[in-house]
Amino acid sequence: MNSSSAQAPFKVSRKSFGALLAGLLLGTASALAPTAIAQEIPKSGAPEIVKDSSKLPHIVLMSMGGTIASRASDRLNITNYGGKGVPRVDPGDWVHDLPELANIARVTTEDFRAPPDRTAGSETFGDLELVAKRLNELAQDPSVDGVVVTHGTNIMPEVAYYMDLVVKTHKPVVFVGSQRPWTGLSGDGPLNLYNAVRVAASKDAWDKGVLQCMNQYINTARDVMKTSAYRMQTFKGVDVGAIGFADPDRVVFYREPTRRHTFNSEFAGFDYQSVPGVEVAYAYQEAPGYLIDAMVEHGVKGVVIDGTGAGSATTSQTEAIKRAQTKGVIFVMTSRTRSGRVQFTPRRREANIVSGDNLQPEKARLLLALALTKTTNFDDIQRVFDEY
Amino acid sequence: MKRLRWLRLLQITACALAISLNASAADLPKVRLFTTGGTIQSRALSRDKMMEYNDGPKVTPDELIADLPELKTIADLSTLEISNVGSGNIDSEKLLALAKGINEWLAKPEAAGAVVTHGTATLEETAYFLNLVVKSDKPVVVVGAMHPFSAISRDGPFNLYNGVRVAASKDARGKGVMVLLNDEIDAARDVTKNNTYRVDTFVSRDLGPIGFADSDRIVFYRNSLKRHTDKSEFDVSTLTALPKVDIVYGYQEADRAPIDALVAAGAKGIVLDDSAMSFAAAVKDNQAKGAVFVQSDRKGSGRVVLSEKSAERGVVTADNLNAQKSRVLLRLALTKTSDPKEIQRMFNEY
């Protein structure tokens, strides 16, 4: 297994896996974690590995961490895993635990996890940009056929969508994660990872934008949403469904997205050191406008209102919107119903509020931030929301 | 004063513009409405009757159009009546007449698209049949209704209005035959009727809709990657009949008798919707008599995967087509070949 890549300014996993293995041999592992192996990989039944892997596609397996990269001390622990003193799953561990990957691809690994001492959920724009930059490099690298990126499931859809907008690639980029830790009973991680590599290695997965594959469903980054906190079948394309499946016989595609993405995105291929600040304001009965005022005082350039129903704000919010618009802040309306489009109605046009189509507010936020790097023209931003 | 004059001038211009809009039907996209009947063309004697509504006179194509003068602003509409029956009475003869009528219409350079009214019960079968035999990339939209023409809150008129909008839309070209009810645009291949009486009955369980007919615009999110319409190899122009293909349902202890009886009655192909112990021997015996078998699955979602075992047995796997759509494809496949390998290719591609 060729586990390191030539460009390696990033920590490559083989070494850290070795360190863990050494730890195990020295008998210190029990202090770290009594159950440090993947539960849902049976001991017997490993397939014969083909000798000549030179003809197999080269897939880069990039770790941004997540539940799939987490361990627990006990295999019934599927909610309170990881944390201080519990070793994480290094990228090389996945490759070690799943030798069958060698039958479908030449997998090399790259590690883009946040440092272990950083609190969970603190991923920054800088972290995203580092990955985006690397994905853009890999897209240009003729020795690479596809990329799999692991990520925590909570914000995976918006991270994947950001890459869908900024990575100029024809090659497959497939996001994957798991609902249960690598060590969990009936853990979904191993099969999800195996299938994500299959999808990334598939010729049919080219030109479809950034994909997300878990539980055999192949979804588009733009349309996928996490719909359940703990159940395995959590990722769904709420409005428009999956575009294909990683089935036992083959990886199969039925649809392609018609919205602009990756190679066809006007935002792709650039380095963004930063993007204009955009925040989300939720709408509900008596939602106050002062939260929007506070955002504006804080210097945001755009606000996404996650409106009620077809896309409505409260009177107080509407007044705050008008105040903010005089300072040049751009507003986009999404709908908290999470299905169906916010339509571009004459009234919305008159109020100078961009309709967010059927994007979730966290995705509309990223699209608006990117749009604002180019323009503050209302019609141009509405065009962007109609096309992406 | 000067301001008033300006306003008056503006009024006159606006009026002239409105008249010219009305008069410009010739410039609007030309859409033909093919009517076959169904709930959308049914009347009950009372407006609260939502079932068994066949006690009033059927709605004619002219009545459908007269009911919706708004159509005049979006399309130059003509009509062709194929039938006025419930979808249970749509047969090969009507299917072929419909397909040939649509092909003849869409071959005209001035034709923009076609809309078909249909009963909802077998609507998905007709839509998929058209998806395989229409020789054009122009939009064909099949519409229906869950509530009759006479009912309170009937859904038919808006479905028809939206159907015409989609058929007149340039963005709808190349999408294959579409089904439109309840604002959702579904691909004929993937859509199925999912509920007996409610208006959100049509769903594409595996893949979801491909777009929406919203008030501000017609919007698409997906292209189908399966072969259809102008990329299809099937041709009905010279056909006067279709091969007999039937469906046998699988369940615990299912008997092989229906399979034997259907082949004896002249079935050239059989779709097995799920399997049963007794089917294996029946398949073998009837393959010897020339019958072709397709394996679909009654669960209604997910694929029947390709397997070497099935291939060895000469049984074609239906991918994620349901039994009634597998039947449509098998009938057309049998107009070309009876080789299971070749038919498997077709099931992989369509």
Side-chain angles (χ1 to χ4, degrees), chain B residues 115-349:
Chain B
V115 176
V116 180
T117 65
H118 202 286
T120 55
T122 71
L123 184 149
E124 64 195 81
E125 295 170 54
T126 296
Y128 186 48
F129 178 77
L130 295 175
N131 193 52
L132 296 172
V133 302
V134 167
K135 294 274 168 227
S136 169
D137 72 339
K138 294 174 184 174
V140 176
V141 189
V142 187
V143 301
M146 292 303 286
H147 299 309
F149 192 78
S150 50
I152 297 167
S153 294
R154 61 204 174 117
D155 55 333
F158 223 118
N159 289 342
L160 179 57
Y161 178 74
N162 278 336
V164 174
R165 279 177 74 209
V166 174
S169 156
K170 283 200 174 67
D171 291 345
R173 283 183 87 136
K175 302 273 184 217
V177 173
M178 292 159 279
V179 171
L180 190 149
L181 280 91
N182 216 29
D183 301 350
E184 294 195 354
I185 305 168
D186 283 284
R189 182 190 181 280
D190 303 307
V191 74
T192 192
K193 189 176 180 182
N194 184 55
N195 186 290
T196 49
Y197 281 103
R198 290 172 213 132
V199 294
D200 60 340
T201 181
F202 281 94
V203 299
S204 301
R205 291 195 191 112
D206 255 5
L207 299 153
I210 60 169
F212 303 95
D214 279 341
S215 290
D216 59 340
R217 61 182 184 133
I218 309 282
V219 56
F220 286 97
Y221 295 92
R222 297 281 189 260
N223 283 331
S224 178
L225 296 170
K226 294 287 178 176
R227 289 175 70 176
H228 58 69
T229 55
D230 59 335
K231 306 230 165 29
S232 167
E233 68 201 273
F234 303 112
D235 184 4
V236 291
S237 59
T238 58
L239 295 181
T240 52
L242 292 165
K244 178 175 165 58
V245 171
D246 284 281
I247 298 169
V248 175
Y249 204 67
Y251 45 91
Q252 287 184 346
E253 301 183 277
D255 199 329
R256 63 174 280 174
I259 298 173
D260 297 324
L262 285 168
V263 175
K268 303 287 176 243
I270 290 183
V271 177
L272 300 171
D273 199 24
D274 232 306
S275 52
M277 285 299 285
S278 68
F279 287 180
V283 165
K284 213 171 173 189
D285 296 348
N286 287 293
Q287 277 174 333
K289 295 176 187 167
V292 174
F293 285 85
V294 171
Q295 183 73 59
S296 67
D297 194 292
R298 67 181 192 181
K299 287 173 245 346
S301 168
R303 295 172 54 239
V304 180
V305 297
L306 292 166
S307 94
E308 279 168 29
K309 220 185 261 179
S310 288
E312 264 168 41
R313 288 164 49 223
V315 175
V316 176
T317 57
D319 202 274
N320 67 347
L321 288 176
N322 63 25
Q324 55 270 30
K325 294 222 181 114
S326 300
R327 173 178 175 269
V328 170
L329 179 54
L330 181 53
R331 293 182 96 184
L332 287 167
L334 287 168
T335 64
K336 297 247 168 197
T337 177
S338 56
D339 173 12
K341 261 194 202 139
E342 179 65 356
I343 295 176
Q344 183 66 64
R345 174 192 63 77
M346 293 169 177
F347 273 80
N348 294 347
E349 292 180 2

